Amino acid sequence: MSRGHPHPHAAPLRAAELTRRVRQVELAISWVLRIGVIVSVLVIGVGLLLMFLHHPEQARLWDDGSNYHALVQPGAYFPHSLAQLRAALAAGAGSGVVVLGVLLLILTPVLRVAVSVLSFVYERDLPMVLVTLFVLTVLVLSFVLA
C-alpha cells in the first residue's frame, strides 16, 4: 500500500463518484431548460388560442392584414406590470396568458442558475457556489430593479 492512500483504489473511486455527480447535475440542468421551454411554449400557445377564440377576426390571415396589424401595433393591449398580468389572467384574457408564457421563458435561465447553485453545493465546490450565487443575485436584482 502506498503512503498517501491507505486503499490503492480510493482515488479512482472518488473520481468515479465525482464524475457520476457531475453527470447527474448536467442532466438536472438540461431537464430544467427543456421543461422550462416546453411549458412556456405551451402556455404561449394556449394564450394565442384564447386570444383568437375571443377575437376570431384577428385570426384571419387572408384579409388585408389590418386585423393582424391591430394585434401587433404598439397600442395593442398586453399587460406591462404584475398587477396588470394578474388582472388579465383573472379575466381569462389570452394576452395575459401569452405574457405569462413569455415571463416563464425569461425566468427559465434564472431557474437554471438557481439549480446550478444547488448542483455546486451537491458537488461541494465552494468557489463555484459563491460565483453562481453572485450571478443569481445580479440576475434577480436586475429583474427587481428594472
Side-chain angles (χ1 to χ4, degrees):
M1 283 192 213
S2 69
R3 282 188 174 167
H5 299 286
H7 301 287
H9 300 290
L13 289 176
R14 281 193 290 270
E17 175 64 17
L18 181 59
T19 301
R20 185 187 65 77
R21 285 181 174 213
V22 168
R23 180 69 182 141
Q24 285 178 329
V25 166
E26 289 172 349
L27 286 173
I29 290 171
S30 71
W31 277 107
V32 166
L33 292 173
R34 286 181 190 148
I35 291 170
V37 169
I38 290 169
V39 167
S40 56
V41 166
L42 289 174
V43 171
I44 290 169
V46 168
L48 288 172
L49 183 66
L50 284 172
M51 286 175 63
F52 293 142
L53 285 175
H54 291 147
H55 306 284
E57 69 280 357
Q58 293 177 343
R60 281 193 235 127
L61 299 176
W62 56 85
D63 64 1
D64 63 358
S66 61
N67 291 321
Y68 170 75
H69 293 294
L71 180 64
V72 296
Q73 71 183 353
Y77 174 74
F78 277 89
H80 289 85
S81 69
L82 290 177
Q84 289 176 346
L85 177 60
R86 210 175 1 254
L89 290 172
S95 60
V97 179
V98 169
V99 169
L100 176 64
V102 171
L103 186 62
L104 289 173
L105 187 60
I106 290 168
L107 291 177
T108 296
V110 177
L111 183 58
R112 183 247 188 259
V113 174
V115 169
S116 294
V117 170
L118 296 176
S119 70
F120 289 127
V121 168
Y122 177 68
E123 292 176 15
R124 297 180 182 105
D125 189 347
L126 184 59
M128 287 306 296
V129 168
L130 297 175
V131 168
T132 313
L133 273 174
F134 174 75
V135 170
L136 183 61
T137 303
V138 170
L139 283 171
V140 170
L141 285 176
S142 71
F143 282 111
V144 172
L145 299 176

